[in-house]
Amino acid sequence: GVKEATPEFNKLSHEGIFFTQCNANSFRTDRGVVCALSGYPSFPQMSVMKIPEKSRTMPSLARSFAAAGYHTDFLYGGYINFTNMKSYLLSTGYQTALGDTHFPVSVRRTHAWGVTDVIAFDTLYNRTLAHSKDKPWFTTFLSLASHEPWIVPYNRIKNDSRANGRAYTDHCLGLFIQKLKKTPIWKNLLVICIADHGISYPKGLTEADRRRYRIPMLWLGGAVKTPRIFNKLCNQTDLPATLLGQLGINHRQYTFSRDVMSKNYTYPFAIHTFDNGFAFVDSTGYTVQDFNSKRVLTD
């Protein structure tokens, strides 16, 4: 993308395990959250998060960590139950799910979607330090500022509000990591940064282009033994099995999640769904099928 948009993430990508070929499974937050946390695939015209009788039966990282004795919680600066998210979180192992009402009334509308990132990241930092007294723990944080309408209290990139919105979140992430590095908990901490989905950016980018669903994933912290670039194709859905595999926690129940760092990962490929469409990519190329027009967009 825009080279100057994410200097902090670019710098951090050399300090951890950077997955350069990670792909979003979907195009919406409610689908991407389920993909990343439950290792469950997305669908072209259905959101599993909105179907409680299904979503509550799925495995999730929170459920796996809770069973292993971890404290689990989720923090978001916006409305915590949009698209039934709070129900999904609490039914799949999160002991606490906090949204905008957790913050003072004076800051709840510092962004169009709720609490702006700089405030939410500060709250995350303080909660992280408090958690360090109750080890082990697993926290999930969903940011919101790098999202339309792209209005943020930051103005580094002129004439490109989308790039500037990302630059703002990148700035907040950089400050957050800098502060964590100065604390004793950094030594044994693992921080995973992953996007929920991509967008049609730069202008003209469509679902027919593979760049539409390429997303970054970065693992960093004192728990990472050495920096590494991981270039194999993978999906959001592979996060649970890969993470639990590194921790020696059983992940057999994650039927659709693959431990991409294991010797059994011999056929790297990725899938992505959009509004009534589907994409598939492997080492030979990629195919994008639009079910509305009943035609192949790219092959």
Side-chain angles (χ1 to χ4, degrees), residues 159-180:
N159 304 316
D160 190 336
S161 59
R162 295 189 178 200
N164 188 64
R166 277 165 181 68
Y168 170 59
T169 295
D170 178 73
H171 171 72
C172 296
L173 173 66
L175 292 176
F176 174 68
I177 296 297
Q178 285 176 32
K179 291 195 295 184
L180 281 179

Side-chain angles (χ1 to χ4, degrees), residues 67-111:
Y70 284 63
H71 171 81
T72 60
D73 69 356
F74 189 99
L75 177 66
Y76 175 53
Y79 176 51
I80 192 64
N81 204 34
F82 83 99
T83 65
N84 204 48
M85 186 166 71
K86 185 175 183 179
S87 172
Y88 161 75
L89 296 171
L90 295 179
S91 66
T92 56
Y94 283 95
Q95 294 149 7
T96 307
L98 303 175
D100 55 358
T101 57
H102 172 71
F103 296 83
V105 174
S106 59
V107 302
R108 290 180 191 173
R109 286 296 171 265
T110 44
H111 185 272

